[in-house]
Amino acid sequence: MSWDILITNIKGLAQVRESTPGVIKGGAMADLPIIEQAFLAIKDGKIADYGQMKNLPSSSATRTINAEDRFVLPSFVDSHTHLVFAASREEEFVMKINGASYAEIAAKGGGILNSANKLQQMSEDELFERTRKRADEIIRWGTGAVEIKSGYGLTVKDELKMLRVARKIGKETPLKVKTTFLGAHAIPKSHTKEDYVKLVLEEMIPAVAEEKLADYIDVFCEEGFFSKEETIRIAEEGKKFGMRPRIHANQLKRSGGVQAGVEVGAISVDHLENIGEEEIEALRGSDTIPTALPGAAYFLNLSFPPARDLMSAGLPLAIASDYNPGSSPTGNMQMMVSMACIKMKMTPEEAFNAATINTAAAMEVLDTHGSITRGKTASVLITKQVPSIAYLPYAFGTQWIEQVIINGQVL
Ligand code: NIG
Ligand code: FE
């Protein structure tokens, strides 16, 4: 056997799956399979083999890494981000500290419209350079695959610009990228809502599809933004052009977003800070993956999604970062897992399942990402010397990753 990289003496090789399971639901989320005293072999950018050290075949490797006292996990999969944006919005952060709400800031032309103004004035090259820095940052924090949305363009030309930048991130960085058209993110001052919805339906969707720029379509279903009915109309139109829906649902109010998502067969409904029995009932029996975005709930001081109720109902749960300048200015998935444990009372095992396999299912990259499985892309994390898996979310805010391997390349 001759390998490119051999990682030996691993204290625990976590999230090992002989064959890839589908999305993990309910009680099954409590199980995070770990091989103790393990090795992991990488060849041609793929996971070639793994097992217990005592079964290590006689072999040679170009590079050997001793992972004594360290855990190895698959890279995070972040299924909800707004990675492409022009600039940060810390001025609004200070307004919020002084008492303004997210909805009030948005109504004053802050929020998404503020980001759109800045983005419209920026060249595609500059936007790409800024986004690439963020991409490099999330790679160091352990993300191997990421979904990226548009939605700060709000004109045909600028939505296309954002999506081209997102696609280019997938080509020019080691990240696996899926893209989402979120033209229906806010209503620009230049349009009535009716006119803007028409623009999304009749011009933006066909233009995005023409250049094959988006894998998915998203709508911000929320009071003051897009109604349940508008969400359904836009999502259905996207489907006609081959974009499967994923929906921003129930962040600020019980807007009907979850029900809209289920009705259109969305792959995921994301946010869910404001849900109850009705929404959980709607999700039961559907294939729509509920996704929590703990960074946004934390940053906006919202109540967190009822993770235990969702899992007790036998549903899956995914966790993503929502990295964006207005409501979650970090794409650090280590922090998301910590917040899921601390604020949503998920166990570390549940949280890691939510941030790897379930997000991989939510962005349809399970064949290559989300678990340690032979043949999958070799995107894995080696931790620092730590006592246990539970230590990782416990030590919130610390960089517990020592080494990142992405697509078989050691960073
Ligand atoms: O997911 N909720 C809508 N979109 C983003 C926030 C966008 C912004 O404030 O810039 C979110 O939280
Ligand atoms: Fe979002």
XYZ file of all heavy atoms in Angstrom, residues 164-260:
770
model
N -21.754 34.924 -9.651
C -20.494 34.609 -10.348
C -19.348 34.554 -9.355
O -18.475 33.683 -9.444
C -20.197 35.671 -11.415
C -21.014 35.486 -12.669
C -20.483 36.381 -13.799
N -21.603 36.739 -14.643
C -22.150 37.956 -14.730
N -21.634 38.973 -14.048
N -23.184 38.171 -15.502
N -19.357 35.477 -8.417
C -18.311 35.467 -7.385
C -18.405 34.167 -6.576
O -17.391 33.505 -6.314
C -18.432 36.712 -6.466
C -17.569 36.569 -5.222
C -18.050 37.974 -7.237
N -19.609 33.780 -6.217
C -19.790 32.544 -5.436
C -19.277 31.332 -6.214
O -18.555 30.482 -5.670
C -21.254 32.367 -5.062
N -19.618 31.244 -7.481
C -19.130 30.134 -8.317
C -17.598 30.128 -8.391
O -16.970 29.078 -8.348
C -19.692 30.247 -9.736
C -21.133 29.787 -9.900
C -21.229 28.263 -9.992
N -22.525 27.828 -10.457
C -23.311 26.960 -9.822
N -22.926 26.421 -8.670
N -24.462 26.612 -10.323
N -17.030 31.338 -8.504
C -15.573 31.452 -8.619
C -14.882 30.999 -7.322
O -13.778 30.438 -7.368
C -15.206 32.914 -8.953
C -13.832 33.094 -9.535
C -13.682 34.494 -10.141
C -12.230 34.870 -10.299
N -12.041 36.306 -10.583
N -15.526 31.229 -6.197
C -14.980 30.722 -4.925
C -14.877 29.199 -4.997
O -13.905 28.600 -4.535
C -15.868 31.160 -3.728
C -15.814 32.679 -3.531
C -15.473 30.434 -2.436
C -14.475 33.231 -3.103
N -15.877 28.579 -5.616
C -15.858 27.117 -5.775
C -14.745 26.645 -6.710
O -14.300 25.504 -6.616
N -14.329 27.517 -7.622
C -13.280 27.115 -8.582
C -11.884 27.461 -8.064
O -10.941 26.720 -8.301
C -13.483 27.842 -9.916
C -14.708 27.351 -10.663
C -14.628 27.670 -12.161
C -15.942 27.350 -12.850
N -16.945 28.442 -12.667
N -11.758 28.584 -7.376
C -10.416 29.084 -7.047
C -9.994 28.898 -5.597
O -8.925 29.352 -5.198
C -10.297 30.559 -7.460
C -10.481 30.688 -8.962
C -9.941 31.974 -9.546
O -9.279 32.733 -8.823
O -10.206 32.193 -10.744
N -10.855 28.288 -4.791
C -10.436 27.908 -3.442
C -10.710 26.405 -3.307
O -11.431 25.841 -4.132
C -11.228 28.657 -2.345
O -12.517 28.038 -2.197
C -11.410 30.132 -2.657
N -10.165 25.756 -2.305
C -10.425 24.323 -2.153
C -11.826 23.995 -1.636
O -12.182 22.824 -1.532
C -9.356 23.861 -1.155
C -8.625 25.053 -0.708
C -9.174 26.267 -1.360
N -12.631 25.013 -1.334
C -13.968 24.749 -0.800
C -14.879 24.127 -1.852
O -14.872 24.548 -3.010
C -14.622 26.055 -0.337
C -14.125 26.690 0.952
C -14.704 28.097 1.084
C -14.499 25.832 2.159
N -15.677 23.164 -1.438
C -16.779 22.684 -2.269
C -17.931 23.682 -2.079
O -18.337 23.953 -0.951
C -17.191 21.279 -1.812
C -18.473 20.764 -2.401
C -18.259 20.304 -3.811
C -19.588 19.930 -4.467
N -19.425 19.736 -5.916
N -18.429 24.241 -3.169
C -19.440 25.315 -3.078
C -20.728 24.936 -3.784
O -20.699 24.401 -4.897
C -18.878 26.623 -3.689
C -19.970 27.690 -3.800
C -17.705 27.154 -2.858
N -21.854 25.193 -3.148
C -23.167 25.173 -3.808
C -23.722 26.591 -3.700
O -23.522 27.273 -2.681
C -24.117 24.186 -3.122
C -23.738 22.715 -3.322
C -24.233 22.194 -4.662
C -23.953 20.714 -4.847
N -25.140 19.877 -4.654
N -24.425 27.022 -4.738
C -24.893 28.411 -4.762
C -26.416 28.492 -4.738
O -27.113 27.609 -5.236
C -24.408 29.126 -6.035
O -24.935 28.422 -7.158
C -22.900 29.172 -6.118
N -26.898 29.582 -4.181
C -28.342 29.789 -4.046
C -28.719 31.197 -4.477
O -28.113 32.178 -4.020
C -28.773 29.572 -2.580
O -28.419 28.247 -2.193
C -30.271 29.768 -2.419
N -29.728 31.279 -5.331
C -30.255 32.579 -5.752
C -31.274 33.065 -4.720
O -32.313 32.448 -4.516
C -30.912 32.449 -7.130
C -31.729 33.648 -7.497
C -31.148 34.915 -7.578
C -33.088 33.532 -7.757
C -31.909 36.036 -7.897
C -33.869 34.638 -8.088
C -33.274 35.893 -8.153
N -30.956 34.169 -4.060
C -31.840 34.749 -3.036
C -32.213 36.182 -3.438
O -32.075 37.122 -2.666
C -31.137 34.683 -1.658
C -31.784 35.347 -0.437
C -33.157 34.761 -0.122
C -30.890 35.244 0.794
N -32.667 36.334 -4.680
C -33.111 37.669 -5.108
C -34.195 38.201 -4.190
O -34.258 39.401 -3.893
N -35.057 37.323 -3.713
C -36.152 37.727 -2.820
C -35.663 37.779 -1.379
O -36.096 37.021 -0.505
C -37.324 36.764 -2.958
N -34.734 38.706 -1.150
C -34.133 38.868 0.178
C -34.675 40.124 0.847
O -34.815 40.203 2.066
C -32.604 38.946 0.024
C -31.835 38.730 1.285
N -30.504 39.055 1.385
C -32.172 38.225 2.497
C -30.073 38.763 2.607
N -31.065 38.259 3.303
N -34.937 41.162 0.033
C -35.496 42.425 0.540
C -36.060 43.172 -0.661
O -35.754 42.831 -1.809
C -34.413 43.258 1.217
N -36.869 44.187 -0.391
C -37.462 44.961 -1.493
C -36.696 46.273 -1.626
O -36.691 47.089 -0.702
C -38.959 45.225 -1.246
C -39.705 43.891 -1.129
C -39.579 46.052 -2.364
C -40.074 43.505 0.257
N -36.008 46.492 -2.780
C -35.240 47.731 -2.926
C -36.167 48.942 -2.970
O -37.317 48.833 -3.392
C -34.517 47.544 -4.259
C -35.263 46.492 -4.991
C -35.921 45.620 -3.962
N -35.646 50.080 -2.534
C -36.448 51.317 -2.466
C -36.998 51.729 -3.837
O -38.020 52.394 -3.928
C -35.591 52.466 -1.904
C -35.287 52.336 -0.414
C -36.268 53.161 0.431
C -35.980 53.065 1.932
N -36.334 51.772 2.528
N -36.318 51.304 -4.892
C -36.700 51.678 -6.260
C -37.971 50.978 -6.742
O -38.520 51.339 -7.776
C -35.557 51.308 -7.205
O -35.215 49.935 -7.014
N -38.440 49.974 -6.047
C -39.558 49.150 -6.512
C -40.659 49.039 -5.467
O -40.386 49.070 -4.266
C -39.083 47.728 -6.821
C -38.250 47.590 -8.053
N -36.998 48.144 -8.171
C -38.497 46.949 -9.231
C -36.503 47.850 -9.369
N -37.399 47.131 -10.028
N -41.901 48.870 -5.964
C -42.948 48.401 -5.064
C -42.706 46.903 -4.902
O -42.015 46.287 -5.724
C -44.355 48.580 -5.679
O -44.419 47.781 -6.874
C -44.634 50.034 -6.007
N -43.299 46.343 -3.876
C -43.083 44.911 -3.687
C -43.592 44.113 -4.884
O -42.927 43.193 -5.360
C -43.750 44.430 -2.398
C -43.536 42.923 -2.236
C -43.325 42.473 -0.856
C -44.611 42.389 -0.124
N -44.580 41.369 0.916
N -44.759 44.530 -5.372
C -45.342 43.816 -6.510
C -44.394 43.828 -7.714
O -44.167 42.795 -8.353
C -46.658 44.500 -6.875
C -47.677 43.565 -7.442
C -48.867 44.343 -8.000
O -48.946 45.574 -7.792
O -49.696 43.702 -8.649
N -43.847 45.005 -8.000
C -42.929 45.123 -9.138
C -41.660 44.314 -8.917
O -41.111 43.739 -9.858
C -42.529 46.595 -9.363
C -43.662 47.387 -9.985
O -44.615 46.746 -10.496
O -43.604 48.632 -9.944
N -41.198 44.318 -7.681
C -39.951 43.599 -7.421
C -40.164 42.086 -7.551
O -39.337 41.383 -8.135
C -39.364 43.966 -6.054
C -37.983 43.362 -5.887
C -36.923 43.781 -6.693
C -37.752 42.329 -4.982
C -35.663 43.194 -6.594
C -36.499 41.738 -4.874
C -35.457 42.184 -5.683
O -34.219 41.585 -5.586
N -41.289 41.596 -7.042
C -41.577 40.159 -7.169
C -41.638 39.793 -8.651
O -41.118 38.752 -9.081
C -42.891 39.783 -6.437
C -43.327 38.360 -6.777
C -42.715 39.932 -4.928
N -42.241 40.684 -9.440
C -42.324 40.471 -10.885
C -40.909 40.399 -11.507
O -40.630 39.542 -12.343
C -43.112 41.641 -11.499
C -43.777 41.318 -12.797
C -44.833 42.387 -13.105
C -45.134 42.390 -14.507
N -44.952 42.880 -15.625
N -40.052 41.308 -11.061
C -38.669 41.319 -11.558
C -37.956 40.002 -11.219
O -37.256 39.417 -12.053
C -37.905 42.508 -10.942
C -36.458 42.703 -11.388
C -36.387 43.250 -12.811
C -35.708 43.658 -10.437
N -38.156 39.548 -9.996
C -37.539 38.282 -9.574
C -38.038 37.150 -10.467
O -37.254 36.350 -10.997
C -37.849 37.990 -8.084
C -37.443 36.563 -7.711
C -37.138 38.998 -7.179
N -39.366 37.090 -10.636
C -39.978 35.985 -11.378
C -39.631 36.033 -12.864
O -39.268 35.016 -13.460
C -41.499 36.032 -11.238
C -42.080 35.726 -9.851
C -43.571 36.063 -9.830
C -41.858 34.261 -9.479
N -39.730 37.206 -13.445
C -39.676 37.273 -14.914
C -38.291 37.569 -15.469
O -38.011 37.222 -16.614
C -40.684 38.314 -15.418
C -42.104 37.865 -15.137
C -43.157 38.893 -15.528
O -42.805 39.897 -16.189
O -44.320 38.694 -15.156
N -37.451 38.228 -14.679
C -36.119 38.556 -15.214
C -34.974 37.872 -14.486
O -34.076 37.314 -15.109
C -35.921 40.076 -15.209
C -36.861 40.766 -16.198
C -36.611 42.261 -16.282
O -35.434 42.664 -16.341
O -37.605 43.017 -16.284
N -35.029 37.928 -13.155
C -33.867 37.390 -12.426
C -33.758 35.874 -12.568
O -32.691 35.355 -12.904
C -33.950 37.765 -10.952
C -33.656 39.234 -10.687
S -33.620 39.539 -8.906
C -33.262 41.291 -8.884
N -34.849 35.167 -12.307
C -34.779 33.698 -12.349
C -34.309 33.203 -13.723
O -33.355 32.406 -13.795
C -36.121 33.050 -11.910
C -36.344 33.302 -10.414
C -36.145 31.551 -12.219
C -37.692 32.827 -9.876
N -34.897 33.689 -14.821
C -34.408 33.214 -16.130
C -32.942 33.582 -16.381
O -32.194 32.769 -16.938
C -35.320 33.931 -17.140
C -36.537 34.310 -16.363
C -36.092 34.545 -14.959
N -32.512 34.773 -15.938
C -31.125 35.190 -16.183
C -30.144 34.321 -15.387
O -29.088 33.932 -15.894
C -30.942 36.661 -15.821
N -30.504 34.024 -14.153
C -29.657 33.168 -13.312
C -29.569 31.769 -13.918
O -28.494 31.169 -14.000
C -30.237 33.114 -11.868
C -29.572 32.016 -11.057
C -30.066 34.465 -11.177
N -30.712 31.276 -14.373
C -30.751 29.924 -14.954
C -29.959 29.870 -16.259
O -29.233 28.908 -16.512
C -32.196 29.490 -15.189
N -30.073 30.906 -17.050
C -29.371 30.984 -18.336
C -27.862 30.780 -18.154
O -27.234 30.051 -18.904
C -29.667 32.369 -18.947
C -28.849 32.775 -20.143
C -29.329 32.119 -21.432
O -30.541 31.778 -21.497
O -28.500 31.945 -22.341
N -27.306 31.418 -17.138
C -25.858 31.275 -16.889
C -25.540 30.115 -15.941
O -24.392 29.973 -15.524
C -25.297 32.583 -16.278
C -25.010 33.653 -17.292
C -24.213 34.824 -16.674
O -23.153 34.591 -16.074
O -24.690 35.970 -16.776
N -26.579 29.345 -15.580
C -26.399 28.204 -14.649
C -25.647 28.626 -13.381
O -24.698 27.968 -12.944
C -25.638 27.067 -15.329
C -26.368 26.450 -16.516
C -25.697 25.131 -16.892
C -26.443 24.327 -17.926
N -26.953 25.072 -19.085
N -26.099 29.726 -12.806
C -25.348 30.280 -11.681
C -25.821 29.783 -10.319
O -25.140 29.987 -9.325
C -25.414 31.816 -11.717
C -24.559 32.482 -12.804
C -24.814 33.981 -12.841
C -23.076 32.198 -12.577
N -27.015 29.166 -10.265
C -27.522 28.778 -8.935
C -28.026 27.343 -8.910
O -28.706 26.884 -9.822
C -28.631 29.734 -8.501
N -27.684 26.656 -7.829
C -28.184 25.301 -7.608
C -29.534 25.326 -6.908
O -30.328 24.400 -7.037
C -27.183 24.530 -6.738
C -25.786 24.524 -7.352
O -25.653 24.055 -8.492
O -24.835 25.022 -6.697
N -29.779 26.384 -6.140
C -30.996 26.473 -5.315
C -31.614 27.856 -5.423
O -30.969 28.809 -5.859
C -30.670 26.202 -3.843
C -30.033 24.861 -3.595
C -28.652 24.741 -3.419
C -30.813 23.705 -3.573
C -28.062 23.500 -3.225
C -30.226 22.461 -3.368
C -28.855 22.365 -3.194
O -28.271 21.145 -3.002
N -32.868 27.939 -4.959
C -33.533 29.240 -4.856
C -34.015 29.410 -3.409
O -34.470 28.449 -2.786
C -34.698 29.378 -5.851
C -35.287 30.794 -5.797
C -35.786 28.309 -5.628
C -36.057 31.171 -7.044
N -33.891 30.621 -2.913
C -34.249 30.902 -1.514
C -35.127 32.154 -1.488
O -35.068 32.982 -2.409
C -32.949 31.146 -0.719
C -33.104 31.078 0.790
O -34.247 31.153 1.288
O -32.060 30.978 1.474
N -35.952 32.260 -0.451
C -36.780 33.450 -0.236
C -36.742 33.774 1.259
O -36.811 32.856 2.092
C -38.251 33.208 -0.666
C -39.098 34.458 -0.434
C -38.340 32.779 -2.125
N -36.628 35.055 1.578
C -36.720 35.492 2.981
C -38.208 35.659 3.295
O -38.794 36.701 3.015
C -35.949 36.798 3.161
C -35.808 37.277 4.587
C -36.017 36.435 5.667
C -35.430 38.599 4.845
C -35.866 36.887 6.984
C -35.285 39.061 6.148
C -35.507 38.208 7.216
N -38.815 34.608 3.825
C -40.247 34.617 4.140
C -40.411 35.214 5.535
O -40.097 34.560 6.531
C -40.790 33.187 4.089
S -42.571 33.092 4.363
N -40.843 36.469 5.592
C -40.895 37.162 6.883
C -41.782 38.395 6.751
O -41.804 39.017 5.689
C -39.462 37.589 7.262
C -39.278 38.002 8.696
C -39.422 36.843 9.662
O -38.726 35.836 9.541
O -40.269 36.955 10.566
N -42.450 38.747 7.835
C -43.232 39.980 7.848
C -42.335 41.153 7.455
O -41.213 41.278 7.950
C -43.761 40.194 9.270
C -45.022 41.019 9.347
C -45.496 41.124 10.794
O -46.085 40.150 11.292
O -45.254 42.190 11.408
N -42.806 42.000 6.532
C -41.982 43.130 6.078
C -41.062 42.745 4.923
O -40.395 43.599 4.355
N -41.015 41.474 4.593
C -40.180 41.021 3.478
C -41.081 40.285 2.482
O -41.826 40.945 1.766
C -38.999 40.180 4.001
C -38.039 41.007 4.828
C -38.265 41.223 6.197
C -36.946 41.611 4.248
C -37.404 42.010 6.950
C -36.072 42.412 4.997
C -36.302 42.607 6.341
N -41.106 38.960 2.469
C -41.951 38.242 1.512
C -42.940 37.332 2.252
O -42.568 36.664 3.215
C -41.077 37.468 0.513
C -40.192 38.391 -0.290
C -38.937 38.759 0.188
C -40.646 38.956 -1.478
C -38.135 39.663 -0.513
C -39.857 39.855 -2.185
C -38.597 40.211 -1.703
N -44.188 37.349 1.781
C -45.253 36.589 2.450
C -45.157 35.109 2.082
O -44.415 34.727 1.161
C -46.621 37.110 2.010
O -46.815 36.789 0.636
N -45.954 34.323 2.773
C -45.994 32.894 2.473
C -46.382 32.672 1.003
O -45.769 31.863 0.315
C -47.000 32.221 3.411
C -47.097 30.727 3.202
C -48.149 30.077 4.093
C -48.288 28.612 3.704
N -49.521 27.996 4.209
N -47.372 33.407 0.536
C -47.846 33.220 -0.844
C -46.771 33.616 -1.857
O -46.545 32.912 -2.848
C -49.131 34.033 -1.093
C -50.356 33.524 -0.349
C -50.257 33.644 1.178
O -49.657 34.641 1.676
O -50.748 32.726 1.873
N -46.115 34.753 -1.595
C -45.040 35.176 -2.511
C -43.889 34.171 -2.487
O -43.294 33.863 -3.535
C -44.535 36.569 -2.115
C -45.536 37.666 -2.442
C -45.395 38.925 -1.581
O -44.676 38.903 -0.559
O -46.033 39.924 -1.934
N -43.608 33.655 -1.305
C -42.542 32.656 -1.172
C -42.847 31.445 -2.042
O -41.982 30.961 -2.788
C -42.401 32.239 0.314
O -42.066 33.396 1.072
C -41.328 31.184 0.495
N -44.074 30.975 -1.967
C -44.460 29.791 -2.750
C -44.359 30.082 -4.250
O -43.823 29.275 -5.019
C -45.878 29.320 -2.352
C -45.834 28.756 -0.923
C -46.429 28.285 -3.337
C -47.181 28.443 -0.308
N -44.829 31.253 -4.643
C -44.789 31.586 -6.079
C -43.359 31.630 -6.606
O -43.044 31.099 -7.676
C -45.430 32.961 -6.303
C -46.799 32.857 -6.954
C -47.515 34.181 -6.966
N -47.001 35.116 -7.948
C -47.046 36.446 -7.807
N -47.557 36.986 -6.718
N -46.593 37.235 -8.752
N -42.497 32.286 -5.853
C -41.101 32.422 -6.288
C -40.402 31.062 -6.284
O -39.684 30.709 -7.220
C -40.367 33.461 -5.402
C -40.981 34.856 -5.638
C -38.868 33.461 -5.665
C -40.602 35.908 -4.605
N -40.648 30.287 -5.231
C -40.011 28.966 -5.139
C -40.471 28.069 -6.287
O -39.656 27.363 -6.904
C -40.326 28.326 -3.795
N -41.756 28.097 -6.589
C -42.271 27.254 -7.675
C -41.669 27.663 -9.015
O -41.361 26.811 -9.847
C -43.810 27.331 -7.744
C -44.531 26.581 -6.614
C -44.305 25.065 -6.641
O -43.878 24.522 -7.675
O -44.534 24.422 -5.587
N -41.499 28.951 -9.208
C -40.905 29.422 -10.459
C -39.445 28.962 -10.550
O -39.005 28.497 -11.602
C -41.005 30.959 -10.537
C -40.686 31.549 -11.892
C -41.639 31.116 -13.015
O -42.756 30.625 -12.712
O -41.240 31.242 -14.184
N -38.729 29.054 -9.446
C -37.345 28.580 -9.423
C -37.260 27.102 -9.785
O -36.379 26.691 -10.554
N -38.187 26.319 -9.254
C -38.193 24.877 -9.538
C -38.294 24.607 -11.037
O -37.645 23.699 -11.558
C -39.362 24.204 -8.821
C -39.047 23.841 -7.376
C -40.282 23.625 -6.547
C -41.024 22.347 -6.847
N -42.195 22.194 -5.918
N -39.108 25.417 -11.706
C -39.260 25.232 -13.165
C -37.922 25.395 -13.880
O -37.719 24.855 -14.947
C -40.248 26.261 -13.738
C -41.680 26.008 -13.346
C -42.586 26.992 -14.090
C -43.909 27.154 -13.351
N -44.526 28.470 -13.612
N -37.031 26.169 -13.273
C -35.719 26.404 -13.890
C -34.635 25.530 -13.249
O -33.441 25.805 -13.380
C -35.344 27.885 -13.784
C -36.133 28.769 -14.720
C -37.414 29.187 -14.385
C -35.594 29.167 -15.944
C -38.148 29.991 -15.253
C -36.324 29.968 -16.806
C -37.607 30.385 -16.466
N -35.060 24.516 -12.525
C -34.106 23.547 -11.977
C -33.453 23.930 -10.669
O -32.463 23.323 -10.264
N -34.003 24.953 -10.002
C -33.425 25.332 -8.707
C -34.349 24.844 -7.595
O -35.489 25.295 -7.484
C -33.304 26.856 -8.607
C -32.443 27.501 -9.664
S -32.549 29.308 -9.501
C -32.759 29.799 -11.204
N -33.852 23.942 -6.779
C -34.666 23.445 -5.675
C -34.726 24.496 -4.569
O -33.723 25.146 -4.257
C -34.074 22.137 -5.144
C -34.989 21.468 -4.154
C -34.615 20.023 -3.886
N -35.473 19.506 -2.825
C -35.236 18.403 -2.145
N -34.172 17.686 -2.415
N -36.065 18.010 -1.194
N -35.886 24.682 -3.946
C -35.983 25.720 -2.905
C -35.325 25.339 -1.577
O -35.206 24.165 -1.236
C -37.492 25.874 -2.696
C -38.147 25.176 -3.832
C -37.201 24.106 -4.284
N -34.878 26.358 -0.890
C -34.505 26.297 0.526
C -34.996 27.644 1.059
O -34.876 28.660 0.371
C -33.001 26.080 0.709
C -32.131 26.934 -0.200
C -30.665 26.479 -0.279
N -30.259 25.871 0.938
C -29.744 24.620 1.020
N -29.508 23.923 -0.082
N -29.403 24.102 2.161
N -35.553 27.691 2.231
C -36.300 28.879 2.640
C -35.784 29.458 3.962
O -35.518 28.726 4.908
C -37.813 28.537 2.796
C -38.366 27.900 1.500
C -38.632 29.768 3.189
C -38.393 28.787 0.277
N -35.662 30.815 4.004
C -35.448 31.522 5.275
C -36.810 31.586 5.964
O -37.693 32.333 5.532
C -34.980 32.956 5.017
C -33.510 33.107 4.829
N -32.866 32.779 3.674
C -32.545 33.586 5.677
C -31.567 33.041 3.801
N -31.349 33.524 5.006
N -36.973 30.828 7.025
C -38.312 30.662 7.600
C -38.344 30.907 9.107
O -37.467 30.441 9.839
C -38.812 29.247 7.310
N -39.356 31.648 9.536
C -39.670 31.764 10.965
C -38.523 32.313 11.809
O -38.303 31.866 12.930
C -40.118 30.398 11.514
C -41.417 29.909 10.875
O -41.485 29.767 9.659
N -42.434 29.681 11.669
N -37.825 33.312 11.263
C -36.745 33.921 12.053
C -37.320 34.893 13.079
O -37.017 34.807 14.264
C -35.761 34.660 11.135
C -34.611 35.314 11.906
C -33.646 36.114 11.024
O -33.985 36.472 9.892
N -32.460 36.376 11.524
N -38.140 35.833 12.598
C -38.620 36.884 13.498
C -40.060 36.644 13.952
O -40.436 37.027 15.061
C -38.508 38.253 12.799
C -37.107 38.574 12.224
C -37.125 39.879 11.439
C -36.056 38.642 13.335
N -40.839 36.035 13.079
C -42.261 35.781 13.395
C -42.666 34.399 12.887
O -41.964 33.805 12.078
C -43.147 36.830 12.677
C -42.983 38.266 13.134
C -44.042 38.623 14.170
C -43.734 39.932 14.899
N -43.730 41.115 14.035
N -43.853 33.964 13.302
C -44.384 32.712 12.743
C -45.054 33.054 11.412
O -46.269 33.199 11.309
C -45.330 32.049 13.731
C -44.571 31.469 14.900
C -45.445 30.838 15.912
N -45.903 29.512 15.524
C -46.567 28.700 16.337
N -46.847 29.090 17.577
N -46.959 27.522 15.936
N -44.226 33.152 10.403
C -44.603 33.741 9.117
C -45.240 32.769 8.134
O -45.592 33.159 7.033
C -43.329 34.290 8.473
O -42.379 33.226 8.404
N -45.320 31.498 8.494
C -45.789 30.502 7.519
C -44.662 29.989 6.636
O -44.885 29.222 5.699
N -43.451 30.401 6.950
C -42.296 30.004 6.135
C -42.057 28.504 6.134
O -41.745 27.925 5.083
N -42.203 27.885 7.294
C -41.987 26.438 7.365
C -43.020 25.722 6.497
O -42.670 24.846 5.685
C -42.066 25.938 8.831
C -42.127 24.421 8.894
C -40.869 26.461 9.625
N -44.276 26.121 6.642
C -45.324 25.482 5.850
C -45.094 25.719 4.359
O -45.301 24.814 3.543
C -46.709 26.012 6.262
C -47.181 25.507 7.629
C -46.697 26.366 8.802
O -45.758 27.166 8.690
N -47.340 26.196 9.951
N -44.673 26.930 4.000
C -44.384 27.219 2.587
C -43.269 26.294 2.092
O -43.367 25.711 1.006
C -43.971 28.680 2.416
